[in-house]
Amino acid sequence: MTYTLHRGDALTVLKTLPAESIHAVITDPPYNSGGRTSSDRTSRTARAKYVTSGSAHDLANFPGENRDQRSYRAWLTELLTESYRAAVEHTVAMVFSDWRQEPTTSDALQMAGWTWSGTIPWIKPASRPRKGGFKQAAEFITWGVKGTLDHSRDLYLPGHFIASQPRKDRVHITQKPVEIMQQLVRICPAGGTVLDPFTGSGSTGVAALREGRHFVGVELSDHYAAVAERRLQAELTQDDFVLAGPEE
Amino acid sequence: MTYTLHRGDALTVLKTLPAESIHAVITDPPYNSGGRTSSDRTSRTARAKYVTSGSAHDLANFPGENRDQRSYRAWLTELLTESYRAAVEHTVAMVFSDWRQEPTTSDALQMAGWTWSGTIPWIKPASRPRKGGFKQAAEFITWGVKGTLDHSRDLYLPGHFIASQPRKDRVHITQKPVEIMQQLVRICPAGGTVLDPFTGSGSTGVAALREGRHFVGVELSDHYAAVAERRLQAELTQDDFVLAGPEE
DNA sequence: ACGACCTATGAATCCCTGT
DNA sequence: AACAGGGATTCATAGGTCG
């Protein structure tokens, strides 16, 4: 398996990808949520919003969290349009969002040409309680297809996930559990290429390599690009080790 | 506990409800103005089903179907507006939808004046697998508040539900598990009144009575109004029985 | 190996204060 | 008055420690 990690702006890099080169898009854009008013959204960094005050993480901040609702949708639409262009027929795109951004996400997905085919909840059991109401315990994976699903594949994937965010060895604020990502990348045909325009710490890529898919990623931040590079490289090395050994 | 069951059109009846008479709204509207069965829903063209109101597809090639989606939103907005009028401050409204209608539902909720506060997934584990993709295993409960949540209540409710649809004794196509409804009605202060403008077979009412809340329901169909009446009446009788007996 | 116990934390939310 | 920023609050769960 191989991977390519581009350092730069997602939209700029996507425009350079050749058509028909991608077989699945799996990504987690900056949500741009975190407040009812635009000032709520713009006044804080992602890190301040998403990390408990007073906790002692050593996680770097990440950019891209200062758009208002309309420009967020326009921006996401353009990203998904470029991804669509680079994708082959039957490609599935999966986009993470929180409850606030789910309607915007499904709008953008459809505006970019994808056929919206479902929304998958990811339940996080260890979430904060909320006094006087229902707690917020889920994120959502909005997915769609370029054209139609490939019904010839003998593939049956789950309709929901239940998993906690990684806690130890966590390197990114919004890092996804690799066990979930491994389920998701199976939507890509074996040997195909998975695209993640917001690579972050690279969990999508790690999952893709583990499941025998190639990976193309884009990451803006130097810090996280280096982290992802390290994780992806380690994955390849470990693969070799596993292949060489008799057990596991 | 008491209940009132109106037989008639939801919007017409809602307009007659006095202001400040409702302390929670919990309902499951018909997902399309037309049919309730999945065959009714799937008989529409694929393209039309996947279009979100407010998206760019409003301009696309199916004006008739789009108008249908748009008028659904307008109709739901009016219902939620009348419910809002009848509700006291701090009232919570909860509306069931499937993944296709969730964006429209949250639009309508907000257009009616409610502050959208979250979307709760209800996972149905026993759902049919889908060849070549992810199965559709969830419905969504979109909820909002009139004003702000009452933070003085010592109440912490779950952020997701996992339950299969009732199988035996099922009297309605989209009947909800009473154990879920019992959790939901707890958002209503004890002794308050729960409103369900689409009573169906009356599960919301049954749950309300069991949890010590009053119930006001509306149902258009004679058949289901009779079913609901029977179930609600049985609930009160059983309550009496329970109260009279020494054990549970 | 395993259970009982303990501690830290969460893509949060609300409210108060200072500008 | 509106907005930016900081601090307190809440409990189920994960993960470690200690017998």
Side-chain angles (χ1 to χ4, degrees), chain B residues 109-167:
Chain B
L109 191 77
Q110 291 176 93
M111 289 165 75
W114 302 87
T115 303
W116 183 25
S117 305
T119 296
I120 303 167
W122 163 31
I123 310 287
K124 296 181 284 189
S127 46
R128 214 201 255 122
R130 177 179 195 168
K131 190 164 194 227
F134 298 88
K135 72 176 177 178
Q136 165 45 41
E139 287 191 31
F140 300 96
I141 306 166
T142 307
W143 69 282
V145 190
K146 178 169 182 172
T148 60
L149 275 182
D150 180 358
H151 295 106
S152 67
R153 297 179 66 194
D154 190 27
L155 178 73
Y156 299 90
L157 294 171
H160 73 281
F161 297 99
I162 298 178
S164 291
Q165 270 192 314
R167 255 177 200 223

Side-chain angles (χ1 to χ4, degrees), chain A residues 99 102 107 110 116 132 155 157, chain B residues 50 52 57 102 116 132 155:
Chain A
W99 61 274
E102 199 280 326
D107 279 352
Q110 292 175 93
W116 184 23
L155 178 73
L157 293 171
Chain B
Y50 300 134
T52 308
H57 287 302
E102 199 280 325
W116 183 25
L155 178 73

Side-chain angles (χ1 to χ4, degrees), chain B:
Chain B
M1 291 302 108
T2 62
Y3 71 88
T4 312
L5 186 56
H6 299 273
R7 243 230 0 89
D9 171 66
L11 196 48
T12 311
V13 173
L14 286 191
K15 287 181 197 291
T16 70
L17 293 183
E20 314 266 310
S21 62
I22 296 300
H23 309 87
V25 182
I26 305 176
T27 197
D28 179 31
Y31 293 162
N32 276 309
S33 324
R36 292 200 159 195
T37 69
S38 71
S39 70
D40 276 343
R41 284 198 293 272
T42 51
S43 66
R44 307 184 174 260
T45 70
R47 185 76 185 274
K49 274 186 310 193
Y50 300 134
V51 168
T52 308
S53 64
S55 78
H57 287 302
D58 280 352
L59 308 172
N61 9 348
F62 294 92
E65 289 293 338
N66 274 332
R67 195 182 62 84
D68 207 18
Q69 178 71 282
R70 290 168 66 89
S71 69
Y72 174 78
R73 187 180 70 183
W75 168 79
L76 188 56
T77 300
E78 202 170 334
L79 269 156
L80 291 169
T81 301
E82 285 303 325
S83 308
Y84 188 89
R85 185 192 53 77
V88 304
E89 181 82 4
H90 306 306
T91 291
V92 167
M94 324 199 64
V95 185
F96 282 81
S97 71
D98 66 4
W99 59 273
R100 266 181 228 128
Q101 299 294 359
E102 199 280 325
T104 302
T105 304
S106 58
D107 281 351
L109 191 77
Q110 291 176 93
M111 289 165 75
W114 302 87
T115 303
W116 183 25
S117 305
T119 296
I120 303 167
W122 163 31
I123 310 287
K124 296 181 284 189
S127 46
R128 214 201 255 122
R130 177 179 195 168
K131 190 164 194 227
F134 298 88
K135 72 176 177 178
Q136 165 45 41
E139 287 191 31
F140 300 96
I141 306 166
T142 307
W143 69 282
V145 190
K146 178 169 182 172
T148 60
L149 275 182
D150 180 358
H151 295 106
S152 67
R153 297 179 66 194
D154 190 27
L155 178 73
Y156 299 90
L157 294 171
H160 73 281
F161 297 99
I162 298 178
S164 291
Q165 270 192 314
R167 255 177 200 223
K168 51 171 217 164
D169 302 332
R170 189 158 71 139
V171 289
H172 193 285
I173 305 170
T174 68
Q175 190 168 334
K176 304 289 175 284
V178 173
E179 68 257 32
I180 288 185
M181 304 316 286
Q182 284 186 253
Q183 293 276 340
L184 297 187
V185 297
R186 295 181 54 211
I187 199 68
C188 176
T193 300
V194 176
L195 167 67
D196 181 356
F198 302 99
T199 296
S201 56
S203 301
T204 304
V206 169
L209 297 179
R210 279 190 198 171
E211 295 288 322
R213 275 79 174 165
H214 301 285
F215 178 70
V216 173
V218 188
E219 174 57 41
L220 182 58
S221 127
D222 281 327
H223 173 72
Y224 286 121
V227 170
E229 181 74 42
R230 197 155 52 236
R231 286 181 75 202
L232 291 164
Q233 195 56 54
E235 201 57 40
L236 285 191
T237 314
Q238 183 170 339
D239 265 357
D240 291 346
F241 175 77
V242 169
L243 287 173
E247 74 285 348
E248 176 51 5

Side-chain angles (χ1 to χ4, degrees), chain A residues 27-193:
Chain A
T27 197
D28 179 33
Y31 291 174
N32 205 63
S33 307
R36 282 169 313 212
T37 68
S38 74
S39 71
D40 271 353
R41 279 193 297 275
T42 52
S43 66
R44 293 177 183 213
T45 66
R47 175 156 180 203
K49 275 186 296 201
Y50 302 141
V51 172
T52 308
S53 54
S55 73
H57 291 301
D58 190 24
L59 304 178
N61 205 342
F62 66 92
E65 285 260 350
N66 47 9
R67 295 177 173 84
D68 70 18
Q69 192 71 28
R70 287 173 59 85
S71 67
Y72 177 79
R73 188 180 70 179
W75 169 77
L76 189 55
T77 300
E78 202 169 334
L79 270 156
L80 290 169
T81 300
E82 286 303 326
S83 307
Y84 188 88
R85 184 192 55 75
V88 303
E89 182 82 3
H90 307 306
T91 291
V92 167
M94 323 200 65
V95 185
F96 282 80
S97 72
D98 67 0
W99 61 274
R100 252 183 268 255
Q101 297 295 5
E102 199 280 326
T104 301
T105 304
S106 57
D107 279 352
L109 191 77
Q110 292 175 93
M111 289 164 75
W114 302 88
T115 303
W116 184 23
S117 305
T119 296
I120 303 167
W122 163 31
I123 311 288
K124 296 181 286 188
S127 46
R128 270 197 186 78
R130 179 181 199 167
K131 191 171 193 204
F134 299 89
K135 71 177 179 178
Q136 164 46 38
E139 289 192 30
F140 300 95
I141 306 166
T142 306
W143 68 282
V145 190
K146 177 167 181 172
T148 59
L149 273 183
D150 180 358
H151 298 289
S152 67
R153 296 178 67 193
D154 191 27
L155 178 73
Y156 298 90
L157 293 171
H160 74 281
F161 297 98
I162 299 179
S164 290
Q165 252 210 314
R167 211 178 257 205
K168 51 173 214 164
D169 302 331
R170 194 166 66 142
V171 289
H172 193 283
I173 305 172
T174 69
Q175 192 168 333
K176 304 289 175 283
V178 173
E179 66 260 31
I180 288 185
M181 303 317 286
Q182 283 187 252
Q183 294 276 340
L184 297 188
V185 297
R186 294 181 56 210
I187 199 68
C188 176
T193 300

